[in-house]
Amino acid sequence: MNLSNRPLVEALKRFKEQQPISLHVPGHKHGTLSRLPNELREALAYDFTELTGLDDLHEAEGAIKEAEDLLSKLYQSTRSFFLVNGSTVGNLAMIYAICGQGDTVIIQRNAHKSVFNAVELTGAEPVLITPHLDNHTRTPGIVELEQVKEALNAYPEAKGVVLTYPTYYGVAGGNLKGIIDFCHARSVPVLVDEAHGAHFIIGEPFPKSAIELGADVVVHSAHKTLPAMTMASYLHVQSEFIDDKKIAHYLQMLQSSSPSYVLMASLDDARAYVADYNEKDKRHFSMLRTQFIEAMKNRTSFEIIETDDPLKLLIRLEGYTGFEIQELLESKGLYAELADPYQVLFVLPLWNGTSTFPLAEWIAKMTAAIGILDKKRSNGGGIDLPEWPIGISTLACSPAQWAFMQTEWITIEESVGRIVAKSLIPYPPGIPLLMKGEKVLDSHLKTLFQLVEMGSRFHGADRLEIGEILVMTRDSEA
């Protein structure tokens, strides 16, 4: 089995070379009816459907099956799947596979909103583990083994443990292997949202993948760190506790019945890219990364914070919030992954041995950004956001009750002690600040007010601009 092969890509190329006549969907007819810009329209020539010779994602037996088998071989899983609805659908499917109405599931508090959406859809009862802040990145960190032990001792009936590894910011410390071994000794599966770690399979200098460490199900956003299109993701299963057929069942229910062949081809290509990645590529990546970091240090006043994942760099500027830095960089055409109160996050390309990049241009733009600083408008010097209460917690109102609750809009100032009826989620990174069913604390409001003042964007903030929040009525709380 040659991991460099791209069976689906080659199948699409062969099919296109036949100059087929389209008397089928999609309606753009190989792009001929499209009025998109030329560069986009050209890709539509490969936007086929489940035609003879092109296989079917939900009953794969040809080129797609071969491509997924190569993916499984590379990541050493029992079975791997292509996802065309992003890691969101992978998180939904893996949680559906372990729990249902009323079941207990242990979840890392700084998980992505899709994990909590899965909890709501299944009706499971979440037990939340809030990790300590990672002082290096000033962000919520990784769950520790002792916290998982405490949670499982308190809730031995839990159907699974759901973790995020690495964090959005590239933090991968802690003892994930110890957690997995402890859970497995109790016959509890460990599900890992490894959205930002599809490249970990490459090995050092990158952290170890959760798959290598023994996790039962792992979801990868291939589009985040590999050369795949947006929404293109993977799911891997290697478990004695979870049947891959059950995962497949939920994926065919939750994913589109008309999957994009262009997306799937990009997944096939991204897998081959990683499979071909070698020591020469690693050395070249490290060289380019070092050149970029050293140039920033020598020619700008930005502070560079390195994390466990070499693809991630945090950029700070004394006296400025991340939102101000983001605005500064964007004025010169440089777009970071996200901004927070302290910094912006850069996600570097996974350069291989043939990659080049315009170092001089990048540094010139960053230098120009520094040159337009207006010190008078800075307000980022004294930021001190409160951290969440560390430890184990449950929701004040469980998902099973959500369908029956009555709601009302009240001012944010009046909301302390009330139960939130709609999650408030700074986006990115998509981690809820206030989760549906949680009780509002003073620390929540302090953080919320600061984030709003700094210009953070939110999901679920329907009336935030007029200072209102949706809560359960007093009768419903009772």
Side-chain angles (χ1 to χ4, degrees), residues 154-326:
Y155 298 91
E157 74 280 8
K159 299 294 185 180
V161 173
V162 184
L163 301 175
T164 301
Y165 168 93
T167 70
Y168 207 129
Y169 292 79
V171 178
N175 185 7
L176 181 57
K177 181 68 167 66
I179 291 173
I180 293 169
D181 290 345
F182 174 78
C183 291
H184 284 178
R186 296 195 173 196
S187 300
V188 175
V190 178
L191 316 181
V192 179
D193 178 359
E194 195 173 84
H196 289 261
H199 58 296
F200 286 3
I201 196 68
I202 291 169
E204 294 184 353
F206 302 101
K208 287 189 175 181
S209 172
I211 297 175
E212 184 181 355
L213 297 175
D216 295 85
V217 184
V218 176
V219 175
H220 282 145
S221 290
H223 65 93
K224 283 184 166 64
T225 60
L226 304 184
M229 293 177 65
T230 298
M231 289 178 63
S233 297
Y234 301 134
L235 183 148
H236 314 277
V237 184
Q238 54 165 15
S239 178
E240 61 179 291
F241 308 112
I242 301 174
D243 188 347
D244 62 80
K245 294 184 179 63
K246 197 170 186 180
I247 296 283
H249 168 71
Y250 284 112
L251 285 177
Q252 65 86 20
M253 292 175 65
L254 296 166
Q255 293 208 95
S256 171
S257 60
S258 301
S260 164
Y261 275 78
V262 179
L263 281 180
M264 290 190 289
S266 80
L267 283 171
D268 193 22
D269 181 63
R271 188 266 316 147
Y273 185 90
V274 178
D276 289 338
Y277 212 85
N278 55 37
E279 292 301 318
K280 177 184 175 182
D281 296 320
K282 292 182 188 179
R283 289 193 297 271
H284 192 67
F285 166 82
S286 295
M287 180 191 72
L288 294 180
R289 178 179 180 274
T290 298
Q291 288 179 357
F292 181 48
I293 291 173
E294 291 304 315
M296 277 197 290
K297 288 179 178 178
N298 293 334
R299 296 183 56 186
T300 76
S301 52
F302 288 116
E303 179 185 2
I304 297 92
I305 309 298
E306 301 181 55
T307 71
D308 297 324
D309 181 1
L311 281 189
K312 303 293 180 70
L313 294 176
L314 304 181
I315 310 301
R316 296 177 188 160
L317 190 59
E318 186 177 359
Y320 283 78
T321 69
F323 303 107
E324 291 173 321
I325 300 170
Q326 181 181 48

Side-chain angles (χ1 to χ4, degrees), residues 318-369:
E318 186 177 359
Y320 283 78
T321 69
F323 303 107
E324 291 173 321
I325 300 170
Q326 181 181 48
E327 181 182 351
L328 199 67
L329 294 174
E330 289 183 357
S331 72
K332 296 301 178 183
L334 293 165
Y335 290 83
E337 170 65 14
L338 62 79
D340 69 25
Y342 307 102
Q343 60 223 341
V344 296
L345 171 65
F346 284 0
V347 181
L348 297 180
L350 186 63
W351 292 299
N352 66 8
T354 63
S355 299
T356 60
F357 82 109
L359 174 63
E361 179 186 347
W362 288 17
I363 296 301
K365 289 181 179 293
M366 296 186 75
T367 303

Side-chain angles (χ1 to χ4, degrees), residues 394-409:
T394 57
L395 297 179
C397 176
S398 70
Q401 300 171 283
W402 291 353
F404 308 102
M405 67 182 182
Q406 301 297 311
T407 63
E408 62 180 336
W409 291 97

Side-chain angles (χ1 to χ4, degrees), residues 143-150 175 178-179 182:
V143 165
E144 299 294 338
L145 173 57
E146 290 305 314
Q147 292 179 299
V148 175
K149 287 182 177 180
E150 180 186 350
N175 185 7
I179 291 173
F182 174 78

Side-chain angles (χ1 to χ4, degrees), residues 71 79 93 102 105 107 127-128 179 212 255 280 291 306 320 331 341 349 357 385 411 413 427 449 463:
L71 178 66
R79 186 175 180 185
V105 60
I107 298 176
V127 173
L128 307 176
I179 291 173
E212 184 181 355
Q255 293 208 95
K280 177 184 175 182
Q291 288 179 357
E306 301 181 55
Y320 283 78
S331 72
F357 82 109
L385 293 178
T411 66
E413 292 81 0
Y427 204 90
F449 285 134
R463 297 194 188 180

Side-chain angles (χ1 to χ4, degrees), residues 408-412 415 420 422 424 434 440 445 448 463-464 467-471:
E408 62 180 336
W409 291 97
I410 63 173
T411 66
I412 296 174
S415 67
V420 177
K422 187 172 187 178
L424 275 174
L434 271 167
V440 180
L445 294 195
L448 177 61
R463 297 194 188 180
L464 201 57
E468 292 185 349
I469 188 171
L470 188 67
V471 299

